[in-house]
């Protein structure tokens, strides 16, 4: 479904992605793990087209700070030069890191905004699904998103992405800053979303909490692929274990 080949993203003074290749098959849940600055966000943003957008915005101002090279194929089609909005239409939807929501808008308005490219009837069906998936949101419908807890905001952010009807859902550190109980909720949601036939590529710093839901994972360091394999294979790898299953996340 997704084929990334020899992807390179170079910001003025940083090589964020260095010849990275990975693939995601239809129906899979695939993890991308790496420490701070490893390139996780750059990878997801580049697949979603945001890096392309940033590059072109800067080009218009005369800047040449960002270089992107390599191939990104979605459903067999090369999409490297496709605008972000067009990628959403094709079914590539990104849920960005740190649950960005429209703080002054209600939960319901946020969800509706997520589906701005879809038909009203589709939005309605997906909103019902989101409320079933995250029952607390049904109760908080009319509340301003900015008033919600971090965990609830993450539910809204995931909900907005779902209302956009993803075929491939890109999730950037959905567990970041959440309590263990809330992390479990998000992991449960990932399982439910997959059951709907949505393919998922998710980035996290630590692998352990998501190992139960992923089919395969890739570990990246400084924009370079270090190792890939099934969840069990990653767990068995001593280096990966030390770096990404360390004491910190086993609380
Ligand atoms: N817009 C940008 N301009 C310049 N450099 C950037 C930009 N975005 C990211 N970088 C650099 O690219 C590298 C990869 O950053 P990225 O945000 O992709 O990593 P990450 O794995 O998502 O990290 P984190 O865990 O902190 O979210 C870093 O060295 C970062 O400083
Ligand atoms: Mg990031």
């Amino acid at each position: 479904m997704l084929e990334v080949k020899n992807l390179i993203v170079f910001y003025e003074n940083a090589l964020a992605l260095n010849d990275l290749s990975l693939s995601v098959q239809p129906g899979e849940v695939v993890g991308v793990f790496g420490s701070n600055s490893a390139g996780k966000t750059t990878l997801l943003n580049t697949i979603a087209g945001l890096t392309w957008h940033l590059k072109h915005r800067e080009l218009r101002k005369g800047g040449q700070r960002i270089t992107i090279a390599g191939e990104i194929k979605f459903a067999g089609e090369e999409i490297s030069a496709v605008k972000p909005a067009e990628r959403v239409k094709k079914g590539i939807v990104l849920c960005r890191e740190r649950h960005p929501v429209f703080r002054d808008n209600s939960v319901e308005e946020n969800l509706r905004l997520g589906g701005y490219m879809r038909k009203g009837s589709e939005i309605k069906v997906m909103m019902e699904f989101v409320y079933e998936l995250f029952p607390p949101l049904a109760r908080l419908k009319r509340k301003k998103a900015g008033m919600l807890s971090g965990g609830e905001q993450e539910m809204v952010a995931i909900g907005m992405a779902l209302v956009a009807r993803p075929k491939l859902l890109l999730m950037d550190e959905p567990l970041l800053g959440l309590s263990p109980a809330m992390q479990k909720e998000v992991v449960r949601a990932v399982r439910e979303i997959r059951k709907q036939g949505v393919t998922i590529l998710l980035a996290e710093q630590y692998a352990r909490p998501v190992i139960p839901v992923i089919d395969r994972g890739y570990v990246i360091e400084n924009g370079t692929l270090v190792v890939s394999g099934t969840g069990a294979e990653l767990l068995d790898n001593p280096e990966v274990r030390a770096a990404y299953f360390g004491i910190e996340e086993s609380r």
Side-chain angles (χ1 to χ4, degrees), residues 11-17 34-43 54 58 65-66 97-98 172-173 176 205 220:
Y11 299 109
E12 200 167 24
N13 45 13
L15 186 57
L17 294 179
S35 53
N36 287 128
S37 299
K40 305 180 296 294
T41 298
T42 300
L43 173 67
L54 186 64
E58 292 193 358
R65 216 174 51 88
I66 302 172
E97 68 187 337
R98 294 170 202 279
D172 196 355
E173 299 206 56
L176 186 69
Q205 192 158 348
I220 57 176

Side-chain angles (χ1 to χ4, degrees), residues 170-212:
L170 308 170
M171 306 176 90
D172 196 355
E173 299 206 56
L175 305 185
L176 186 69
L178 304 188
S179 67
M182 200 50 89
Q183 291 193 351
K184 281 210 180 100
E185 277 300 287
V186 172
V187 168
R188 177 191 59 81
V190 168
R191 222 178 249 123
E192 293 299 319
I193 295 165
R194 154 198 242 153
K195 276 193 205 153
Q196 299 296 310
V198 178
T199 305
I200 299 172
L201 179 62
L202 68 87
E204 278 295 339
Q205 192 158 348
Y206 295 110
R208 189 191 290 275
V210 297
I211 284 290

Side-chain angles (χ1 to χ4, degrees), residues 40 61 74 92 112 116 128 132 134 193 202 204-205 222 228 231 240-241:
K40 305 180 296 294
K61 290 190 212 145
F74 180 68
I92 303 175
R112 214 177 280 285
Y116 74 102
E128 285 311 313
E132 266 173 43
F134 298 122
I193 295 165
L202 68 87
E204 278 295 339
Q205 192 158 348
N222 298 320
S228 68
V240 176
R241 246 187 124 83

